[in-house]
Amino acid sequence: MQVIDSLRKLVVYREHVVAEAGAAPARPALRASAAAVIGNPWTGTGPGEDLAPVAARWAPLLAKVLTEQLAHALGGVDRIEAFGKAALVGTGGELEHGGALIHTPYFGNLVREFLDGESIICFSDTRAGAGQHLVVPLWHKTHAATRSHYQTVDVRVADAPRADELVIVAAASTGPRPHPRIGDRATDPHVTAQTLERVPS
């Protein structure tokens, strides 16, 4: 496994919802996140620093190692149906530092390719101290408007990010939320402000 020299740890979390609202889901799903804790290569640099050269080297390595961890945790790429990405930036860095590693084709395009996806990858990011949790949104990897797969994964690394670190995350699910039943674009009525004004109160 080729990794970045400043990689301090990999943290993989997996959950299996066995029951919700007193009943087993019709399609039990596994959700997982894989997080890489790395040194921030831009700590101490100013807003004029060109982030592209390092991002082009590091982001593909992160995409590869994190998707490999997800596939292993969830039983293979073919089982993954939804995905998301995230970055936690230590207090000594800029949000742009996290963005440089998750919002470029060197990461996003490769995560999508490695997980056999087609959709744009939804995301979250923030700057925080060690132990801060982040909610990572997921949606369907090939049909982003599939509401049954709108879900989240909570990510937290107890001792990261330190001030000079980044936590880069990829997350995924093998199926929908438990008991999805809010419809979808294919079954929705036609709703506009005008039609709602006609609805009796």
Side-chain angles (χ1 to χ4, degrees):
M1 177 175 65
Q2 185 181 11
V3 295
I4 295 166
D5 290 341
S6 70
L7 177 71
R8 182 162 70 85
K9 62 166 63 176
L10 288 170
V11 179
V12 179
Y13 170 81
R14 184 178 69 174
E15 67 175 39
H16 179 195
V17 178
V18 177
E20 181 77 22
R27 289 190 58 204
L30 298 174
R31 291 194 292 256
S33 63
V37 179
I38 60 174
N40 185 342
W42 302 293
T43 299
T45 63
E49 181 76 11
D50 183 3
L51 309 182
V54 174
R57 293 197 307 272
W58 286 26
L61 297 175
L62 289 165
K64 183 65 172 174
V65 70
L66 294 177
T67 54
E68 286 176 345
Q69 294 294 316
L70 282 180
H72 179 72
L74 296 176
V77 169
D78 59 334
R79 295 199 62 207
I80 291 173
E81 295 185 6
F83 56 20
K85 61 184 179 179
L88 276 164
V89 180
T91 56
E94 302 174 54
L95 276 178
E96 195 72 0
H97 298 161
L101 292 176
I102 68 169
H103 293 320
T104 71
Y106 297 106
F107 185 82
N109 283 13
L110 295 183
V111 168
R112 191 161 37 248
E113 178 182 338
F114 295 150
L115 297 182
D116 292 340
E118 298 175 8
S119 302
I120 292 173
I121 307 172
C122 53
F123 75 94
S124 60
D125 56 29
T126 193
R127 181 164 50 192
Q132 176 67 43
H133 93 282
L134 186 65
V135 176
V136 184
L138 313 178
W139 62 31
H140 201 287
K141 71 178 185 179
T142 57
H143 299 90
T146 304
R147 284 198 202 106
S148 59
H149 286 62
Y150 293 174
Q151 56 198 296
T152 59
V153 173
D154 283 351
V155 175
R156 177 181 177 272
V157 181
D159 65 345
R162 297 170 181 169
D164 60 351
E165 289 183 329
L166 301 166
V167 179
I168 305 300
V169 180
S173 173
T174 63
R177 298 185 310 277
H179 318 308
R181 56 193 187 277
I182 59 172
D184 216 323
R185 291 189 180 183
T187 58
D188 286 346
H190 181 64
V191 177
T192 67
Q194 186 176 14
T195 61
L196 287 177
E197 286 174 358
R198 299 195 194 108
V199 176
S201 59

PDB file of all heavy atoms in Angstrom, residues 130-164:
ATOM      1  N   ALA A 130      -8.931  18.496  17.718  1.00  0.00           N
ATOM      2  CA  ALA A 130      -8.919  17.037  17.812  1.00  0.00           C
ATOM      3  C   ALA A 130     -10.187  16.538  18.478  1.00  0.00           C
ATOM      4  O   ALA A 130     -10.681  17.104  19.450  1.00  0.00           O
ATOM      5  CB  ALA A 130      -7.704  16.575  18.606  1.00  0.00           C
ATOM      6  N   GLY A 131     -10.745  15.465  17.917  1.00  0.00           N
ATOM      7  CA  GLY A 131     -11.922  14.833  18.484  1.00  0.00           C
ATOM      8  C   GLY A 131     -13.243  15.384  18.006  1.00  0.00           C
ATOM      9  O   GLY A 131     -14.293  14.843  18.345  1.00  0.00           O
ATOM     10  N   GLN A 132     -13.217  16.456  17.217  1.00  0.00           N
ATOM     11  CA  GLN A 132     -14.466  17.013  16.694  1.00  0.00           C
ATOM     12  C   GLN A 132     -15.110  16.035  15.726  1.00  0.00           C
ATOM     13  O   GLN A 132     -14.438  15.433  14.894  1.00  0.00           O
ATOM     14  CB  GLN A 132     -14.188  18.321  15.967  1.00  0.00           C
ATOM     15  CG  GLN A 132     -15.388  18.958  15.295  1.00  0.00           C
ATOM     16  CD  GLN A 132     -16.414  19.450  16.288  1.00  0.00           C
ATOM     17  OE1 GLN A 132     -16.059  20.047  17.298  1.00  0.00           O
ATOM     18  NE2 GLN A 132     -17.674  19.181  16.016  1.00  0.00           N
ATOM     19  N   HIS A 133     -16.431  15.849  15.825  1.00  0.00           N
ATOM     20  CA  HIS A 133     -17.088  14.942  14.893  1.00  0.00           C
ATOM     21  C   HIS A 133     -17.615  15.722  13.704  1.00  0.00           C
ATOM     22  O   HIS A 133     -17.864  16.924  13.776  1.00  0.00           O
ATOM     23  CB  HIS A 133     -18.197  14.143  15.591  1.00  0.00           C
ATOM     24  CG  HIS A 133     -19.554  14.759  15.495  1.00  0.00           C
ATOM     25  ND1 HIS A 133     -19.954  15.814  16.264  1.00  0.00           N
ATOM     26  CD2 HIS A 133     -20.598  14.461  14.680  1.00  0.00           C
ATOM     27  CE1 HIS A 133     -21.187  16.144  15.965  1.00  0.00           C
ATOM     28  NE2 HIS A 133     -21.612  15.356  15.004  1.00  0.00           N
ATOM     29  N   LEU A 134     -17.749  15.047  12.595  1.00  0.00           N
ATOM     30  CA  LEU A 134     -18.231  15.644  11.355  1.00  0.00           C
ATOM     31  C   LEU A 134     -19.267  14.710  10.748  1.00  0.00           C
ATOM     32  O   LEU A 134     -19.063  13.501  10.689  1.00  0.00           O
ATOM     33  CB  LEU A 134     -17.068  15.833  10.371  1.00  0.00           C
ATOM     34  CG  LEU A 134     -17.377  16.577   9.067  1.00  0.00           C
ATOM     35  CD1 LEU A 134     -17.771  18.019   9.341  1.00  0.00           C
ATOM     36  CD2 LEU A 134     -16.149  16.545   8.150  1.00  0.00           C
ATOM     37  N   VAL A 135     -20.380  15.272  10.311  1.00  0.00           N
ATOM     38  CA  VAL A 135     -21.417  14.494   9.654  1.00  0.00           C
ATOM     39  C   VAL A 135     -21.143  14.495   8.155  1.00  0.00           C
ATOM     40  O   VAL A 135     -21.070  15.552   7.531  1.00  0.00           O
ATOM     41  CB  VAL A 135     -22.814  15.078   9.947  1.00  0.00           C
ATOM     42  CG1 VAL A 135     -23.887  14.307   9.182  1.00  0.00           C
ATOM     43  CG2 VAL A 135     -23.101  15.032  11.443  1.00  0.00           C
ATOM     44  N   VAL A 136     -20.974  13.318   7.588  1.00  0.00           N
ATOM     45  CA  VAL A 136     -20.660  13.171   6.170  1.00  0.00           C
ATOM     46  C   VAL A 136     -21.918  12.711   5.431  1.00  0.00           C
ATOM     47  O   VAL A 136     -22.438  11.628   5.715  1.00  0.00           O
ATOM     48  CB  VAL A 136     -19.530  12.143   5.946  1.00  0.00           C
ATOM     49  CG1 VAL A 136     -19.148  12.083   4.466  1.00  0.00           C
ATOM     50  CG2 VAL A 136     -18.325  12.485   6.802  1.00  0.00           C
ATOM     51  N   PRO A 137     -22.426  13.505   4.498  1.00  0.00           N
ATOM     52  CA  PRO A 137     -23.619  13.085   3.755  1.00  0.00           C
ATOM     53  C   PRO A 137     -23.265  12.084   2.662  1.00  0.00           C
ATOM     54  O   PRO A 137     -22.167  12.120   2.090  1.00  0.00           O
ATOM     55  CB  PRO A 137     -24.133  14.394   3.152  1.00  0.00           C
ATOM     56  CG  PRO A 137     -22.893  15.218   2.964  1.00  0.00           C
ATOM     57  CD  PRO A 137     -21.972  14.846   4.100  1.00  0.00           C
ATOM     58  N   LEU A 138     -24.210  11.201   2.379  1.00  0.00           N
ATOM     59  CA  LEU A 138     -24.061  10.222   1.305  1.00  0.00           C
ATOM     60  C   LEU A 138     -25.264  10.328   0.375  1.00  0.00           C
ATOM     61  O   LEU A 138     -26.358  10.670   0.807  1.00  0.00           O
ATOM     62  CB  LEU A 138     -24.011   8.789   1.844  1.00  0.00           C
ATOM     63  CG  LEU A 138     -23.106   8.452   3.018  1.00  0.00           C
ATOM     64  CD1 LEU A 138     -23.281   6.977   3.398  1.00  0.00           C
ATOM     65  CD2 LEU A 138     -21.662   8.755   2.711  1.00  0.00           C
ATOM     66  N   TRP A 139     -25.044  10.005  -0.895  1.00  0.00           N
ATOM     67  CA  TRP A 139     -26.170   9.761  -1.792  1.00  0.00           C
ATOM     68  C   TRP A 139     -25.764   8.717  -2.811  1.00  0.00           C
ATOM     69  O   TRP A 139     -24.608   8.298  -2.864  1.00  0.00           O
ATOM     70  CB  TRP A 139     -26.716  11.022  -2.410  1.00  0.00           C
ATOM     71  CG  TRP A 139     -25.823  11.850  -3.298  1.00  0.00           C
ATOM     72  CD1 TRP A 139     -24.806  11.439  -4.108  1.00  0.00           C
ATOM     73  CD2 TRP A 139     -25.902  13.271  -3.471  1.00  0.00           C
ATOM     74  NE1 TRP A 139     -24.253  12.496  -4.778  1.00  0.00           N
ATOM     75  CE2 TRP A 139     -24.907  13.639  -4.410  1.00  0.00           C
ATOM     76  CE3 TRP A 139     -26.730  14.262  -2.958  1.00  0.00           C
ATOM     77  CZ2 TRP A 139     -24.714  14.962  -4.813  1.00  0.00           C
ATOM     78  CZ3 TRP A 139     -26.521  15.569  -3.361  1.00  0.00           C
ATOM     79  CH2 TRP A 139     -25.527  15.908  -4.272  1.00  0.00           C
ATOM     80  N   HIS A 140     -26.725   8.286  -3.628  1.00  0.00           N
ATOM     81  CA  HIS A 140     -26.512   7.150  -4.520  1.00  0.00           C
ATOM     82  C   HIS A 140     -25.364   7.427  -5.491  1.00  0.00           C
ATOM     83  O   HIS A 140     -25.264   8.526  -6.056  1.00  0.00           O
ATOM     84  CB  HIS A 140     -27.796   6.852  -5.294  1.00  0.00           C
ATOM     85  CG  HIS A 140     -27.865   5.466  -5.838  1.00  0.00           C
ATOM     86  ND1 HIS A 140     -27.112   5.041  -6.912  1.00  0.00           N
ATOM     87  CD2 HIS A 140     -28.596   4.395  -5.443  1.00  0.00           C
ATOM     88  CE1 HIS A 140     -27.375   3.778  -7.166  1.00  0.00           C
ATOM     89  NE2 HIS A 140     -28.270   3.349  -6.286  1.00  0.00           N
ATOM     90  N   LYS A 141     -24.521   6.436  -5.696  1.00  0.00           N
ATOM     91  CA  LYS A 141     -23.317   6.663  -6.486  1.00  0.00           C
ATOM     92  C   LYS A 141     -23.566   6.754  -7.984  1.00  0.00           C
ATOM     93  O   LYS A 141     -22.690   7.224  -8.725  1.00  0.00           O
ATOM     94  CB  LYS A 141     -22.274   5.581  -6.188  1.00  0.00           C
ATOM     95  CG  LYS A 141     -22.588   4.187  -6.722  1.00  0.00           C
ATOM     96  CD  LYS A 141     -21.451   3.227  -6.404  1.00  0.00           C
ATOM     97  CE  LYS A 141     -21.673   1.854  -7.015  1.00  0.00           C
ATOM     98  NZ  LYS A 141     -20.561   0.918  -6.731  1.00  0.00           N
ATOM     99  N   THR A 142     -24.735   6.318  -8.449  1.00  0.00           N
ATOM    100  CA  THR A 142     -25.029   6.440  -9.876  1.00  0.00           C
ATOM    101  C   THR A 142     -26.298   7.238 -10.157  1.00  0.00           C
ATOM    102  O   THR A 142     -26.487   7.728 -11.267  1.00  0.00           O
ATOM    103  CB  THR A 142     -25.159   5.055 -10.551  1.00  0.00           C
ATOM    104  OG1 THR A 142     -26.168   4.298  -9.887  1.00  0.00           O
ATOM    105  CG2 THR A 142     -23.837   4.309 -10.515  1.00  0.00           C
ATOM    106  N   HIS A 143     -27.185   7.361  -9.168  1.00  0.00           N
ATOM    107  CA  HIS A 143     -28.438   8.109  -9.336  1.00  0.00           C
ATOM    108  C   HIS A 143     -28.607   9.018  -8.124  1.00  0.00           C
ATOM    109  O   HIS A 143     -29.280   8.664  -7.162  1.00  0.00           O
ATOM    110  CB  HIS A 143     -29.627   7.159  -9.486  1.00  0.00           C
ATOM    111  CG  HIS A 143     -29.533   6.268 -10.681  1.00  0.00           C
ATOM    112  ND1 HIS A 143     -28.922   5.032 -10.633  1.00  0.00           N
ATOM    113  CD2 HIS A 143     -29.951   6.437 -11.960  1.00  0.00           C
ATOM    114  CE1 HIS A 143     -28.982   4.469 -11.830  1.00  0.00           C
ATOM    115  NE2 HIS A 143     -29.593   5.306 -12.652  1.00  0.00           N
ATOM    116  N   ALA A 144     -27.997  10.191  -8.197  1.00  0.00           N
ATOM    117  CA  ALA A 144     -27.915  11.067  -7.021  1.00  0.00           C
ATOM    118  C   ALA A 144     -29.269  11.474  -6.475  1.00  0.00           C
ATOM    119  O   ALA A 144     -29.391  11.790  -5.294  1.00  0.00           O
ATOM    120  CB  ALA A 144     -27.095  12.313  -7.366  1.00  0.00           C
ATOM    121  N   ALA A 145     -30.316  11.477  -7.297  1.00  0.00           N
ATOM    122  CA  ALA A 145     -31.640  11.916  -6.846  1.00  0.00           C
ATOM    123  C   ALA A 145     -32.445  10.810  -6.177  1.00  0.00           C
ATOM    124  O   ALA A 145     -33.618  11.002  -5.861  1.00  0.00           O
ATOM    125  CB  ALA A 145     -32.426  12.482  -8.026  1.00  0.00           C
ATOM    126  N   THR A 146     -31.846   9.651  -5.940  1.00  0.00           N
ATOM    127  CA  THR A 146     -32.546   8.541  -5.297  1.00  0.00           C
ATOM    128  C   THR A 146     -32.636   8.806  -3.802  1.00  0.00           C
ATOM    129  O   THR A 146     -31.673   8.597  -3.062  1.00  0.00           O
ATOM    130  CB  THR A 146     -31.795   7.214  -5.568  1.00  0.00           C
ATOM    131  OG1 THR A 146     -31.650   7.042  -6.966  1.00  0.00           O
ATOM    132  CG2 THR A 146     -32.550   6.032  -4.979  1.00  0.00           C
ATOM    133  N   ARG A 147     -33.794   9.271  -3.345  1.00  0.00           N
ATOM    134  CA  ARG A 147     -33.919   9.743  -1.965  1.00  0.00           C
ATOM    135  C   ARG A 147     -33.701   8.656  -0.923  1.00  0.00           C
ATOM    136  O   ARG A 147     -33.301   8.941   0.204  1.00  0.00           O
ATOM    137  CB  ARG A 147     -35.302  10.376  -1.731  1.00  0.00           C
ATOM    138  CG  ARG A 147     -35.433  11.744  -2.331  1.00  0.00           C
ATOM    139  CD  ARG A 147     -36.604  12.486  -1.713  1.00  0.00           C
ATOM    140  NE  ARG A 147     -37.003  13.531  -2.634  1.00  0.00           N
ATOM    141  CZ  ARG A 147     -38.094  13.494  -3.377  1.00  0.00           C
ATOM    142  NH1 ARG A 147     -38.903  12.455  -3.299  1.00  0.00           N
ATOM    143  NH2 ARG A 147     -38.386  14.476  -4.178  1.00  0.00           N
ATOM    144  N   SER A 148     -33.979   7.430  -1.256  1.00  0.00           N
ATOM    145  CA  SER A 148     -33.808   6.347  -0.280  1.00  0.00           C
ATOM    146  C   SER A 148     -32.371   6.236   0.206  1.00  0.00           C
ATOM    147  O   SER A 148     -32.114   5.716   1.296  1.00  0.00           O
ATOM    148  CB  SER A 148     -34.229   5.011  -0.898  1.00  0.00           C
ATOM    149  OG  SER A 148     -33.447   4.727  -2.049  1.00  0.00           O
ATOM    150  N   HIS A 149     -31.435   6.748  -0.589  1.00  0.00           N
ATOM    151  CA  HIS A 149     -30.030   6.625  -0.243  1.00  0.00           C
ATOM    152  C   HIS A 149     -29.444   7.900   0.349  1.00  0.00           C
ATOM    153  O   HIS A 149     -28.242   7.990   0.576  1.00  0.00           O
ATOM    154  CB  HIS A 149     -29.224   6.194  -1.474  1.00  0.00           C
ATOM    155  CG  HIS A 149     -29.427   4.757  -1.835  1.00  0.00           C
ATOM    156  ND1 HIS A 149     -30.654   4.240  -2.199  1.00  0.00           N
ATOM    157  CD2 HIS A 149     -28.559   3.707  -1.869  1.00  0.00           C
ATOM    158  CE1 HIS A 149     -30.528   2.949  -2.453  1.00  0.00           C
ATOM    159  NE2 HIS A 149     -29.273   2.600  -2.253  1.00  0.00           N
ATOM    160  N   TYR A 150     -30.301   8.914   0.608  1.00  0.00           N
ATOM    161  CA  TYR A 150     -29.841  10.101   1.327  1.00  0.00           C
ATOM    162  C   TYR A 150     -29.663   9.713   2.789  1.00  0.00           C
ATOM    163  O   TYR A 150     -30.635   9.411   3.490  1.00  0.00           O
ATOM    164  CB  TYR A 150     -30.860  11.233   1.225  1.00  0.00           C
ATOM    165  CG  TYR A 150     -31.047  11.831  -0.145  1.00  0.00           C
ATOM    166  CD1 TYR A 150     -32.040  12.770  -0.363  1.00  0.00           C
ATOM    167  CD2 TYR A 150     -30.239  11.471  -1.218  1.00  0.00           C
ATOM    168  CE1 TYR A 150     -32.236  13.343  -1.610  1.00  0.00           C
ATOM    169  CE2 TYR A 150     -30.419  12.030  -2.472  1.00  0.00           C
ATOM    170  CZ  TYR A 150     -31.421  12.964  -2.668  1.00  0.00           C
ATOM    171  OH  TYR A 150     -31.611  13.523  -3.899  1.00  0.00           O
ATOM    172  N   GLN A 151     -28.431   9.724   3.258  1.00  0.00           N
ATOM    173  CA  GLN A 151     -28.130   9.314   4.628  1.00  0.00           C
ATOM    174  C   GLN A 151     -26.809   9.941   5.046  1.00  0.00           C
ATOM    175  O   GLN A 151     -26.171  10.632   4.251  1.00  0.00           O
ATOM    176  CB  GLN A 151     -28.072   7.789   4.727  1.00  0.00           C
ATOM    177  CG  GLN A 151     -27.090   7.143   3.765  1.00  0.00           C
ATOM    178  CD  GLN A 151     -27.351   5.667   3.568  1.00  0.00           C
ATOM    179  OE1 GLN A 151     -27.239   4.882   4.495  1.00  0.00           O
ATOM    180  NE2 GLN A 151     -27.711   5.272   2.349  1.00  0.00           N
ATOM    181  N   THR A 152     -26.423   9.741   6.282  1.00  0.00           N
ATOM    182  CA  THR A 152     -25.183  10.338   6.782  1.00  0.00           C
ATOM    183  C   THR A 152     -24.389   9.328   7.592  1.00  0.00           C
ATOM    184  O   THR A 152     -24.926   8.345   8.101  1.00  0.00           O
ATOM    185  CB  THR A 152     -25.472  11.566   7.671  1.00  0.00           C
ATOM    186  OG1 THR A 152     -26.284  11.165   8.770  1.00  0.00           O
ATOM    187  CG2 THR A 152     -26.154  12.667   6.885  1.00  0.00           C
ATOM    188  N   VAL A 153     -23.094   9.628   7.710  1.00  0.00           N
ATOM    189  CA  VAL A 153     -22.192   8.866   8.563  1.00  0.00           C
ATOM    190  C   VAL A 153     -21.469   9.866   9.459  1.00  0.00           C
ATOM    191  O   VAL A 153     -20.978  10.892   8.970  1.00  0.00           O
ATOM    192  CB  VAL A 153     -21.165   8.067   7.730  1.00  0.00           C
ATOM    193  CG1 VAL A 153     -20.125   7.425   8.628  1.00  0.00           C
ATOM    194  CG2 VAL A 153     -21.856   7.013   6.886  1.00  0.00           C
ATOM    195  N   ASP A 154     -21.427   9.603  10.755  1.00  0.00           N
ATOM    196  CA  ASP A 154     -20.664  10.442  11.675  1.00  0.00           C
ATOM    197  C   ASP A 154     -19.218   9.958  11.726  1.00  0.00           C
ATOM    198  O   ASP A 154     -18.963   8.757  11.894  1.00  0.00           O
ATOM    199  CB  ASP A 154     -21.253  10.379  13.087  1.00  0.00           C
ATOM    200  CG  ASP A 154     -22.506  11.212  13.237  1.00  0.00           C
ATOM    201  OD1 ASP A 154     -22.822  11.974  12.314  1.00  0.00           O
ATOM    202  OD2 ASP A 154     -23.172  11.101  14.285  1.00  0.00           O
ATOM    203  N   VAL A 155     -18.302  10.907  11.584  1.00  0.00           N
ATOM    204  CA  VAL A 155     -16.873  10.581  11.619  1.00  0.00           C
ATOM    205  C   VAL A 155     -16.220  11.340  12.770  1.00  0.00           C
ATOM    206  O   VAL A 155     -16.467  12.540  12.953  1.00  0.00           O
ATOM    207  CB  VAL A 155     -16.187  10.967  10.296  1.00  0.00           C
ATOM    208  CG1 VAL A 155     -14.683  10.745  10.387  1.00  0.00           C
ATOM    209  CG2 VAL A 155     -16.771  10.156   9.149  1.00  0.00           C
ATOM    210  N   ARG A 156     -15.412  10.641  13.535  1.00  0.00           N
ATOM    211  CA  ARG A 156     -14.677  11.274  14.629  1.00  0.00           C
ATOM    212  C   ARG A 156     -13.397  10.497  14.867  1.00  0.00           C
ATOM    213  O   ARG A 156     -13.420   9.265  14.939  1.00  0.00           O
ATOM    214  CB  ARG A 156     -15.512  11.296  15.909  1.00  0.00           C
ATOM    215  CG  ARG A 156     -14.794  11.882  17.120  1.00  0.00           C
ATOM    216  CD  ARG A 156     -15.678  11.850  18.356  1.00  0.00           C
ATOM    217  NE  ARG A 156     -14.977  12.335  19.528  1.00  0.00           N
ATOM    218  CZ  ARG A 156     -14.237  11.587  20.337  1.00  0.00           C
ATOM    219  NH1 ARG A 156     -14.102  10.289  20.101  1.00  0.00           N
ATOM    220  NH2 ARG A 156     -13.635  12.119  21.386  1.00  0.00           N
ATOM    221  N   VAL A 157     -12.288  11.215  14.976  1.00  0.00           N
ATOM    222  CA  VAL A 157     -11.004  10.618  15.350  1.00  0.00           C
ATOM    223  C   VAL A 157     -10.590  11.278  16.659  1.00  0.00           C
ATOM    224  O   VAL A 157     -10.422  12.505  16.718  1.00  0.00           O
ATOM    225  CB  VAL A 157      -9.932  10.834  14.270  1.00  0.00           C
ATOM    226  CG1 VAL A 157      -8.622  10.168  14.681  1.00  0.00           C
ATOM    227  CG2 VAL A 157     -10.409  10.288  12.925  1.00  0.00           C
ATOM    228  N   ALA A 158     -10.437  10.500  17.701  1.00  0.00           N
ATOM    229  CA  ALA A 158     -10.274  11.058  19.048  1.00  0.00           C
ATOM    230  C   ALA A 158      -9.109  12.037  19.164  1.00  0.00           C
ATOM    231  O   ALA A 158      -9.210  13.050  19.858  1.00  0.00           O
ATOM    232  CB  ALA A 158     -10.107   9.913  20.055  1.00  0.00           C
ATOM    233  N   ASP A 159      -8.004  11.756  18.493  1.00  0.00           N
ATOM    234  CA  ASP A 159      -6.816  12.597  18.666  1.00  0.00           C
ATOM    235  C   ASP A 159      -6.444  13.363  17.400  1.00  0.00           C
ATOM    236  O   ASP A 159      -5.293  13.731  17.196  1.00  0.00           O
ATOM    237  CB  ASP A 159      -5.636  11.747  19.128  1.00  0.00           C
ATOM    238  CG  ASP A 159      -5.207  10.725  18.083  1.00  0.00           C
ATOM    239  OD1 ASP A 159      -5.983  10.479  17.121  1.00  0.00           O
ATOM    240  OD2 ASP A 159      -4.092  10.162  18.206  1.00  0.00           O
ATOM    241  N   ALA A 160      -7.413  13.605  16.546  1.00  0.00           N
ATOM    242  CA  ALA A 160      -7.122  14.297  15.289  1.00  0.00           C
ATOM    243  C   ALA A 160      -8.353  15.092  14.840  1.00  0.00           C
ATOM    244  O   ALA A 160      -9.492  14.747  15.194  1.00  0.00           O
ATOM    245  CB  ALA A 160      -6.709  13.279  14.215  1.00  0.00           C
ATOM    246  N   PRO A 161      -8.119  16.163  14.078  1.00  0.00           N
ATOM    247  CA  PRO A 161      -6.814  16.620  13.619  1.00  0.00           C
ATOM    248  C   PRO A 161      -6.100  17.485  14.662  1.00  0.00           C
ATOM    249  O   PRO A 161      -6.728  18.318  15.312  1.00  0.00           O
ATOM    250  CB  PRO A 161      -7.162  17.485  12.405  1.00  0.00           C
ATOM    251  CG  PRO A 161      -8.509  18.066  12.743  1.00  0.00           C
ATOM    252  CD  PRO A 161      -9.219  16.988  13.521  1.00  0.00           C
ATOM    253  N   ARG A 162      -4.802  17.264  14.809  1.00  0.00           N
ATOM    254  CA  ARG A 162      -3.994  18.223  15.542  1.00  0.00           C
ATOM    255  C   ARG A 162      -3.940  19.506  14.723  1.00  0.00           C
ATOM    256  O   ARG A 162      -4.351  19.537  13.579  1.00  0.00           O
ATOM    257  CB  ARG A 162      -2.605  17.639  15.779  1.00  0.00           C
ATOM    258  CG  ARG A 162      -2.623  16.381  16.650  1.00  0.00           C
ATOM    259  CD  ARG A 162      -1.282  15.688  16.673  1.00  0.00           C
ATOM    260  NE  ARG A 162      -1.331  14.476  17.499  1.00  0.00           N
ATOM    261  CZ  ARG A 162      -0.361  13.561  17.532  1.00  0.00           C
ATOM    262  NH1 ARG A 162       0.728  13.702  16.774  1.00  0.00           N
ATOM    263  NH2 ARG A 162      -0.481  12.498  18.303  1.00  0.00           N
ATOM    264  N   ALA A 163      -3.404  20.564  15.319  1.00  0.00           N
ATOM    265  CA  ALA A 163      -3.427  21.873  14.650  1.00  0.00           C
ATOM    266  C   ALA A 163      -2.784  21.836  13.267  1.00  0.00           C
ATOM    267  O   ALA A 163      -3.210  22.545  12.349  1.00  0.00           O
ATOM    268  CB  ALA A 163      -2.736  22.912  15.524  1.00  0.00           C
ATOM    269  N   ASP A 164      -1.766  21.001  13.111  1.00  0.00           N
ATOM    270  CA  ASP A 164      -1.036  20.948  11.848  1.00  0.00           C
ATOM    271  C   ASP A 164      -1.391  19.709  11.031  1.00  0.00           C
ATOM    272  O   ASP A 164      -0.577  19.218  10.254  1.00  0.00           O
ATOM    273  CB  ASP A 164       0.474  20.992  12.098  1.00  0.00           C
ATOM    274  CG  ASP A 164       0.979  19.827  12.950  1.00  0.00           C
ATOM    275  OD1 ASP A 164       0.137  19.066  13.509  1.00  0.00           O
ATOM    276  OD2 ASP A 164       2.212  19.659  13.059  1.00  0.00           O
TER     277      ASP A 164
END
